[in-house]
Amino acid sequence: MPIAPATALLLLFLAGPIGYCVWIAFTNTQLTGSSSSDFVGFANFRRAFADDNFRNAVQLTLAFTFLSSIVGQNTLGLALAGLMRAASRPVRTVTGALVITAWVLPEIVAAFLLYAFFRREGTLNAILDQLHLPSQNWLFTLPILAVSFANVWRGTAFSMLIYSAALAEIPQDITEAAEVDGASGPRRLWHITLPMIRRSIGTNLMLNTLSTLSVFGLIWAMTRGGPGNRSQTLPVFMYDQAFVNSLIGYGTAVALLLLLVGSLFSIVYLRLMKVEV
Amino acid sequence: MRPTAPLILAAAVTVLAAGSLTACSSGSGSDPDTVKVAYNRSTDNKIRFKDAYIESVKKQFEKEHPGKKIKLIPIQAADNDYATKVQQMMRSPKTAPDLVYEDTFRINSDIKAGYLRPLDAYLAKWDTWSQFVDTAKAAAKAEDGKTYGVPDGTDTRGLWYNKKIFAKAGLPTDWQPKNWEEVLDAARAVKKKVPGVIPLNVYTGKAPGEAAVMQGFEMLLYGTGDDPLYDPGAKKWVAGGQGFRDALGFVETVYGEKLGPDPSDALDPNVGTHVATEWFPEGKLAISLDGSWMGQNWINEGPKAWPEWKTELAQTPMPTQNGQAPGKVSMSGGWTWAIPQKAKNPDLAWEFVKTMQTPQNASKWDVVGAQIAVREDVAKDPAYLNSMPGIEFFTGLVQYTHYRPALPVYPQVSTAIGEAMEKVTTGDGSPESAAKEYDEQLKTLVDGAVVTK
């Protein structure tokens, strides 16, 4: 039974806490105040679905994920990977280094950089001023767009790396054959490249979506979910409930619902990956 | 499947982290000669007077008690996060400190959660306790009649205004507004005659947290009538009645007529720092509804040295809504020293409290912390009375002051008020609709224990 120690460790440190979380989600445990902790069934979940702020957080989370992960990181990553294949070596090196720098920066450092970029006295407004365009406090007027942009800036490198590897795998002769047959750039992309890297797209989308769904530090440092609730995504909402309002039970229930959203996305992507062309 | 590799890695990291965390927490804390003291270090790295003060008391204590040690655990975090951190520490005997610094408005929640131990046995044998004023003694008293903390100071609130700007706007420099309308009129005069200056700052919204709810909203609300938030007789919370809507209406007027800061600045979590270190010293702000501790920012060791504040700024009480009796309103809070239920060395921790509360140390603390004294001997101390301009003024407001309903659910009620304020500030809702939403939230928070006034 050589696998027994590993199983025991996994049960103890992985399944244990997860099971405990699931249990907490069905109780009214609080961090402070009432010290009793009772089983309340689905009350926390019912409360979530009746809570306007929860619904708001779900919508914002979906918008944030769609904008920054599916549209932003994914498309931009593919475009960069494609362009870099065609570029000269120095350009490739410099671009790659820049993009990857954004990726390896700690989340909180990246968040402060982007806070400094978007804030009223920030870099973006300084540039707009130079161009005689009206400036504004972006974190106040368009908070969800600002944090989405921040997530794109930070996370595109990952997609770029995945797609670079995938594009390199496409046999040269197929592309050449298509060229000889007179297929234009967009047609080659649509009929040759995309189908051939389909699995990479699926994997990339899944990983991107899951990591974007759980983005907390970036949003917390840039806007704290504000102004009002206008950038309060599910992780921020969960934190507010569990640690600001001390409602650990409710916060954990929201965390489980977030897990559910993540699994739904995963199932969809896994299906997409299976479909044969 | 590629993704499994990162998963296994993540699991391994989690296991390692969990292992090292438990390794860290065991072993510490069982030393019978060490008192672990948790307190909140300011998030402003330039403010270290509290650290310096506790450090000096620690030296004194260790000298007077040979062989005993004080281990300071400064927690550098915003107030909400500090409370969360301390609550988590107090949950387990492995991490519970021996002494914690607790905000009076949270102490009842922590008592109810069973985190703190009563101090009555210690207090009975401590003759200094009779020097404490009754309101302060009551601040750390639980519903069971026992006292769980030793308060070390309080604060009051009023209107700070810039006399230079007032002179330019043709307003009297010994300003004494009688009601809300006169406060607004002064702000309107500033807006008209001194462009480029923010006429009136009222903290608002969710981001500044309790600063907005207490300095901003409750300073207005408690000027509209008796017990407007909680009815102690009926033991019920008061739904957003007329006074609540009027207070929101005041906030709406301030931001709607552009008498206040730009909403995007007002809703910045760091607005308090901006007021103290930029707007007031740079002459960009005429009036601020603010606390007694403001001067602490400008004294030499403060974050922004500004000696001229003593002559440029003046204070006046916040009037009640229509000037109704007693005419003035103030809110008070303050912090206490409390001993956790799971503390290892409660007796030694109590000895440290006694060292901190010698008359000299108590007076020194109120001076360096710009606190309002809660002890009669300190309040008479000339060193305290002469420590800062305005301290007599703010000490005089203690008779008009109100304490927040220090009940476990208060922090959540406070969040709901912050949301209501934010709606009227950004123009997303009218005072009526915001008050209605507050009512609904209140009902769920307190399980329907609500009265309407």
Side-chain angles (χ1 to χ4, degrees):
Chain A
M1 276 305 215
I3 208 165
T7 316
L9 274 175
L10 277 177
L11 280 180
L12 187 63
F13 290 109
L14 209 65
I18 291 176
Y20 183 62
C21 276
V22 173
W23 163 248
I24 295 276
F26 289 93
T27 67
N28 59 359
T29 306
Q30 297 194 8
L31 187 56
T32 185
S34 169
S35 56
S36 69
S37 165
D38 306 311
F39 182 78
V40 292
F42 285 94
N44 285 325
F45 296 93
R46 279 201 296 272
R47 176 177 177 163
F49 289 116
D51 188 340
D52 287 341
N53 290 332
F54 173 79
R55 284 198 290 265
N56 170 59
V58 171
Q59 284 165 7
L60 285 175
T61 309
L62 293 178
F64 176 65
T65 307
F66 181 75
L67 279 176
S68 67
S69 166
I70 300 175
V71 177
Q73 290 181 1
N74 190 51
T75 331
L76 196 61
L78 180 59
L80 277 173
L83 289 174
M84 274 169 68
R85 276 179 72 76
S88 64
R89 199 181 172 80
V91 173
R92 209 152 63 203
T93 316
V94 172
T95 319
L98 279 177
V99 176
I100 289 170
T101 306
W103 186 48
V104 296
L105 275 182
E107 189 179 29
I108 200 74
V109 178
F112 276 111
L113 280 175
L114 286 151
Y115 172 76
F117 178 73
F118 280 115
R119 70 191 284 253
R120 185 203 296 281
E121 294 88 14
T123 323
L124 178 58
N125 280 337
I127 296 169
L128 290 177
D129 264 354
Q130 290 291 315
L131 300 173
H132 301 287
L133 291 168
S135 63
Q136 55 189 308
N137 188 342
W138 297 95
L139 295 169
F140 182 76
T141 48
L142 296 166
I144 196 73
L145 276 183
V147 293
S148 298
F149 179 87
N151 193 42
V152 172
W153 183 81
R154 194 175 122 74
T156 300
F158 183 75
S159 304
M160 188 186 85
L161 292 176
I162 294 227
Y163 287 132
S164 292
L167 291 180
E169 298 276 302
I170 297 178
Q172 204 67 46
D173 44 351
I174 296 186
T175 324
E176 277 165 13
E179 255 176 89
V180 170
D181 287 346
S184 64
R187 280 186 78 107
R188 280 206 313 274
L189 175 73
W190 189 248
H191 290 290
I192 310 268
T193 314
L194 286 184
M196 295 204 72
I197 62 167
R198 184 171 46 83
R199 274 169 205 286
S200 297
I201 295 176
T203 312
N204 180 51
L205 274 175
M206 174 140 76
L207 292 175
N208 267 347
T209 308
L210 292 183
S211 70
T212 300
L213 276 176
S214 61
V215 166
F216 173 77
L218 206 60
I219 300 181
W220 185 255
M222 285 176 71
T223 65
R224 290 196 191 195
N229 302 327
R230 297 218 297 270
S231 58
Q232 194 181 44
T233 56
L234 274 173
V236 180
F237 179 74
M238 179 176 86
Y239 179 89
D240 276 343
Q241 294 305 330
F243 297 113
V244 177
N245 291 347
S246 303
L247 303 171
I248 299 277
Y250 184 39
T252 316
V254 174
L256 281 187
L257 289 171
L258 180 62
L259 199 68
L260 202 71
V261 176
S263 349
L264 285 178
F265 271 108
S266 302
I267 292 168
V268 171
Y269 292 141
L270 284 174
R271 290 253 153 155
L272 281 182
M273 282 156 75
K274 266 193 196 150
V275 178
E276 287 303 326
V277 195
Chain B
M1 273 291 280
R2 282 255 169 105
T4 49
L7 264 185
I8 290 168
L9 193 66
V13 170
T14 318
V15 169
L16 281 177
S20 57
L21 278 177
T22 39
C24 275
S25 52
S26 69
S28 67
S30 47
D31 180 359
D33 292 326
T34 303
V35 181
K36 292 189 290 175
V37 181
Y39 69 97
N40 55 340
R41 171 177 279 176
S42 169
T43 50
D44 187 335
N45 284 321
K46 292 178 195 152
I47 301 182
R48 284 292 171 267
F49 61 87
K50 192 189 288 165
D51 307 75
Y53 165 80
I54 298 178
E55 197 73 45
S56 76
V57 182
K58 165 189 150 102
K59 282 204 187 100
Q60 185 188 341
F61 180 87
E62 287 175 351
K63 214 164 145 192
E64 289 168 5
H65 299 78
K68 310 292 181 195
K69 284 260 172 305
I70 300 291
K71 187 182 171 213
L72 299 179
I73 310 173
I75 297 167
Q76 186 166 13
D79 282 351
N80 276 343
D81 301 331
Y82 168 74
T84 304
K85 171 81 183 166
V86 168
Q87 282 153 356
Q88 283 170 329
M89 286 168 83
M90 289 191 293
R91 275 171 100 93
S92 156
K94 276 188 177 165
T95 50
D98 297 300
L99 193 62
V100 291
Y101 203 37
E102 283 254 342
D103 195 328
T104 46
F105 98 88
R106 292 186 193 275
I107 195 164
N108 269 295
S109 317
D110 287 350
I111 294 167
K112 203 165 173 217
Y115 291 152
L116 303 176
R117 62 173 71 201
L119 305 178
D120 298 72
Y122 296 119
L123 294 171
K125 285 183 254 161
W126 191 42
D127 43 12
T128 313
W129 191 233
S130 60
Q131 294 285 346
F132 286 73
V133 300
D134 289 341
T135 46
K137 281 180 179 171
K141 200 178 241 180
E143 285 161 320
D144 63 8
K146 293 180 187 148
T147 303
Y148 288 79
V150 175
D152 65 353
T154 187
D155 44 35
T156 52
R157 286 149 179 78
L159 292 162
W160 289 78
Y161 63 97
N162 185 316
K163 288 192 274 186
K164 269 191 181 167
I165 299 175
F166 264 51
K168 274 190 215 161
L171 291 162
T173 50
D174 61 337
W175 187 43
Q176 303 273 343
K178 297 281 177 297
N179 51 45
W180 287 2
E181 209 47 43
E182 290 188 26
V183 176
L184 291 172
D185 283 342
R188 290 179 185 121
V190 171
K191 188 184 178 201
K192 206 166 148 196
K193 301 209 183 109
V194 197
V197 162
I198 301 164
L200 170 63
N201 172 55
V202 178
Y203 295 106
T204 185
K206 271 169 68 186
E210 191 56 14
V213 175
M214 192 176 181
Q215 264 100 271
F217 188 76
E218 288 170 1
M219 282 295 287
L220 296 160
L221 184 65
Y222 277 82
T224 64
D226 290 332
D227 300 320
L229 210 52
Y230 180 74
D231 184 341
K235 295 209 166 182
K236 283 182 175 169
W237 289 85
V238 179
Q242 190 58 44
F244 198 96
R245 291 196 291 273
D246 289 349
L248 285 177
F250 186 95
V251 176
E252 189 190 38
T253 308
V254 169
Y255 290 94
E257 288 187 25
K258 300 202 185 304
L259 300 172
D262 188 272
S264 68
D265 291 325
L267 297 175
D268 186 317
N270 302 316
V271 61
T273 313
H274 295 158
V275 170
T277 60
E278 290 166 28
W279 297 348
F280 256 141
E282 289 166 15
K284 287 181 189 162
L285 174 62
I287 314 166
S288 185
L289 186 50
D290 227 310
S292 50
W293 58 85
M294 286 297 279
Q296 161 200 319
N297 292 291
W298 307 312
I299 52 179
N300 296 335
E301 311 90 71
K304 169 91 187 176
W306 182 38
E308 295 83 14
W309 74 276
K310 293 170 186 171
T311 47
E312 242 176 72
L313 295 186
Q315 309 88 19
T316 192
M318 179 68 192
T320 50
Q321 183 178 13
N322 304 308
Q324 66 265 49
K328 298 161 189 172
V329 59
S330 175
M331 298 294 300
S332 283
W335 289 66
T336 65
W337 289 99
I339 301 179
Q341 188 65 44
K342 292 182 174 146
K344 289 272 168 39
N345 300 317
D347 295 340
L348 207 53
W350 175 254
E351 289 303 312
F352 187 62
V353 172
K354 274 159 75 177
T355 309
M356 283 196 285
Q357 287 295 331
T358 61
Q360 295 83 355
N361 282 343
S363 170
K364 189 178 152 202
W365 169 238
D366 284 348
V367 170
V368 297
Q371 298 248 40
I372 300 301
V374 288
R375 287 167 53 161
E376 282 162 17
D377 51 353
V378 175
K380 283 184 210 133
D381 187 348
Y384 161 75
L385 285 174
N386 297 327
S387 61
M388 206 177 278
I391 204 142
E392 273 198 87
F393 165 80
F394 282 110
T395 308
L397 287 179
V398 170
Q399 56 178 309
Y400 304 107
T401 208
H402 301 267
Y403 285 83
R404 289 161 292 176
L407 295 161
V409 77
Y410 177 79
Q412 290 174 56
V413 174
S414 164
T415 307
I417 294 177
E419 280 174 15
M421 290 183 91
E422 184 142 334
K423 283 207 183 80
V424 296
T425 304
T426 53
D428 284 351
S430 66
E432 282 72 27
S433 68
K436 216 171 139 197
E437 273 175 49
Y438 169 78
D439 284 359
E440 278 159 23
Q441 260 185 299
L442 188 67
K443 269 182 212 143
T444 40
L445 290 178
V446 302
D447 259 344
V450 169
V451 289
T452 313
K453 274 203 169 175

